Amino acid sequence: MKKQKQKTQEKTPINQEIVKNLRRHNSDLPFTKKQIASIIAEYPTPFHIYDEDGIRQNARRLNAAFSWANFRNHFAVKACPNPSIVRILVEEGNGVDCSSLPELLIAEALGIPGNRIMFTSNDTPPEEFKKAMQLGAIINLDDITHIQFLEKHAGIPEIICFRYNPGKLRKTLDGNVIGSPEDAKYGLTKTQLFEGYRIMRDKGVKRFGLHTMIASNELDYRAFIETARMLFDLVLEISEKLNIKFEFVNLGGGIGIPYRPEQKAVDLDAMSAGIHEEFKKMLQGNGMGHIKIFMENGRMMTGPFGYLITTAIHEKHTYKEYIGVDANMANLMRPGMYGAYHHITVLGKEGRPRDHMYDVVGSLCENNDKFAKDRYLPKINVGDVLAIHNAGAHGHAMGFNYNGKLRSAELLMKDNDAIKMIRRAETVQDYFATLDFNGSRFAGLAKDKKHAKFNRGKNG
Ligand SMILES: *Cc1c(COP(=O)(O)O)cnc(C)c1O
């Protein structure tokens, strides 16, 4: 029954647009099968590989789109928290958006000046506010009660930003509510926002920013224009009511990427043009043309330029056709966690018909450890190398150790195609390193002989 259904699916007329995009998806790999084979000879799969040139060109495209503005993207470090990657973006004019102590430490290690670090946290522990203050980062408060908390633990900074959550006030031009920000734990209500700026003004703060982050993986550029309009409107209202001056408006991140072949990338120029219109009308027209435009995209900055490279190590034919690869959910959690689509290319088989339906699976004892379900791919043989696309954001970053799985290496493909390992793969020693076993380190760390003895146990 199921088989028949698949057959009819295959026979549905081919959408030429999808075919075109599929071709793009297949051919936009920054490396050849041969190159990857020589990389694998040195660095075994699985690994993540990032395309430096792609990251740079893309960052330049975003900056160019906003050339009319005093614009800066603050790369959301959580997307790809590897200092070698963050540095590339910093070299391209990005600041950083950090939300934890280790992310702040990455910014510090890279010598990023405080005025280029946004600290956007929630449920924040005291030491993180302290570190952010010490670095002179722009602190973006998530709640009105954090004013007191910040003052108590770190003091009042000279510049402050608040994160706005519009709740049900979030509307499009034609009055439709977008998404459901009222379900999100982040940000202040409108009433709290006014109160927050008033309190900070009265505490002597002179420099202000306004922030929101309500889009995620959004592919419709108009959503960002709506966000800009909403924030510009608030800036006007707050400036007037409280007599304070805003230095920047941070539209948040959330620019989506076309994970699926039939999707299109966000039209950055159209987005920017629309925001420019609102800027001219609302801010410039009211003597606020000096206000900087910030964004804090993570996904779109690195996502499309990272690939998870993995080798097919098993094929299995039961009720379905399975390809078992040497990567698993610990290397890329999005498909298992959200059912997210990640395009897959079988290297060297780009031109072959996608006429075999597979579940591409990892080795975790979780049935959702599948990189693809019911996916049409060229016939895969054991030993074939697969590139899983769009793994450059929230890929390695979301790694975990459940089931004793180890995080993979990260490689950087430099502008001249040279390969640099920017993070080694975890070893079992790393996995055991934090254990305290009978008052000392776990015996699994010992040399092979002792290790074997331990495994056998006393009665071994
Ligand atoms: C995750 C996050 C971002 C980045 O979102 P992307 O979808 O990766 O662009 C920006 N700001 C905040 C506060 C975030 O939590």
Coordinates of all heavy atoms in Angstrom, one line a residue, residues 76 78 97 120 163 213 253-255 296-299 394, ligand 1:
A76 N 24.9 36.4 16.4 CA 24.4 35.7 17.5 C 25.3 34.5 17.7 O 25.2 33.5 17.0 CB 23.0 35.3 17.3
K78 N 25.6 32.1 19.6 CA 25.1 30.7 19.9 C 24.9 29.9 18.6 O 24.9 28.7 18.7 CB 23.7 30.8 20.6 CG 22.6 31.3 19.8 CD 21.2 30.9 20.5 CE 20.0 31.2 19.6 NZ 19.5 32.5 19.8
D97 N 26.5 39.1 19.5 CA 25.4 39.1 20.5 C 25.6 37.8 21.3 O 25.7 36.7 20.8 CB 24.0 38.9 19.8 CG 22.9 38.9 20.8 OD1 22.7 39.9 21.4 OD2 22.2 37.9 20.9
T120 N 22.4 39.8 25.4 CA 21.0 39.6 25.4 C 20.7 38.3 26.1 O 20.8 37.2 25.5 CB 20.4 39.6 24.0 OG1 20.8 40.8 23.3 CG2 18.9 39.4 24.0
R163 N 14.5 44.7 26.0 CA 13.9 43.8 25.0 C 12.4 43.9 25.1 O 11.8 43.6 26.1 CB 14.4 42.4 25.2 CG 13.8 41.4 24.3 CD 14.4 40.0 24.5 NE 13.9 39.0 23.5 CZ 14.5 37.9 23.2 NH1 15.6 37.6 23.8 NH2 14.0 37.1 22.3
M213 N 13.0 40.7 19.4 CA 13.5 39.5 18.7 C 12.2 38.6 18.6 O 11.9 37.9 19.5 CB 14.6 38.8 19.4 CG 15.0 37.4 18.9 SD 16.0 37.4 17.5 CE 15.8 35.7 17.0
G253 N 17.4 39.1 15.4 CA 17.9 38.3 14.3 C 16.7 37.6 13.6 O 15.6 38.2 13.5
G254 N 16.9 36.4 13.2 CA 15.7 35.6 12.7 C 15.6 35.6 11.2 O 14.6 35.0 10.7
I255 N 16.5 36.2 10.5 CA 16.4 36.1 9.0 C 16.6 34.6 8.7 O 17.6 34.0 9.1 CB 17.5 36.9 8.3 CG1 17.2 38.4 8.5 CG2 17.5 36.6 6.8 CD1 18.1 39.3 7.8
E296 N 20.8 41.2 14.8 CA 21.6 40.2 15.5 C 21.3 38.8 15.0 O 20.9 37.9 15.7 CB 21.4 40.2 17.0 CG 20.0 40.2 17.5 CD 19.8 40.5 19.0 OE1 20.6 41.2 19.6 OE2 18.8 39.9 19.5
N297 N 21.6 38.7 13.6 CA 21.4 37.4 13.0 C 22.5 36.4 13.3 O 23.6 36.8 13.4 CB 21.3 37.6 11.5 CG 20.1 38.4 11.1 OD1 19.0 38.0 11.2 ND2 20.4 39.7 10.6
G298 N 22.1 35.2 13.5 CA 23.0 34.1 13.7 C 22.9 33.1 12.5 O 23.8 33.0 11.7
R299 N 21.7 32.5 12.4 CA 21.5 31.5 11.5 C 21.9 31.8 10.0 O 22.6 31.1 9.4 CB 20.0 31.2 11.4 CG 19.6 30.0 10.6 CD 18.0 30.0 10.4 NE 17.3 30.1 11.7 CZ 17.0 29.0 12.4 NH1 17.3 27.8 12.0 NH2 16.4 29.2 13.6
H394 N 23.4 26.3 14.6 CA 22.7 25.4 15.5 C 23.0 24.0 15.1 O 22.1 23.1 15.2 CB 21.2 25.7 15.5 CG 20.9 27.2 15.5 ND1 20.0 27.8 14.7 CD2 21.4 28.2 16.3 CE1 20.0 29.1 15.0 NE2 20.8 29.4 16.0
Ligands
LIG1 C1 18.9 33.2 18.8 C2 18.9 34.6 18.9 C3 19.3 35.4 17.9 C4 19.7 34.8 16.5 O1 18.6 34.3 15.9 P1 18.9 33.7 14.4 O2 17.6 33.0 14.1 O3 20.0 32.7 14.5 O4 19.1 34.8 13.5 C5 19.4 36.8 18.0 N1 19.0 37.3 19.2 C6 18.6 36.6 20.3 C7 18.3 37.3 21.5 C8 18.5 35.2 20.2 O5 18.1 34.5 21.2

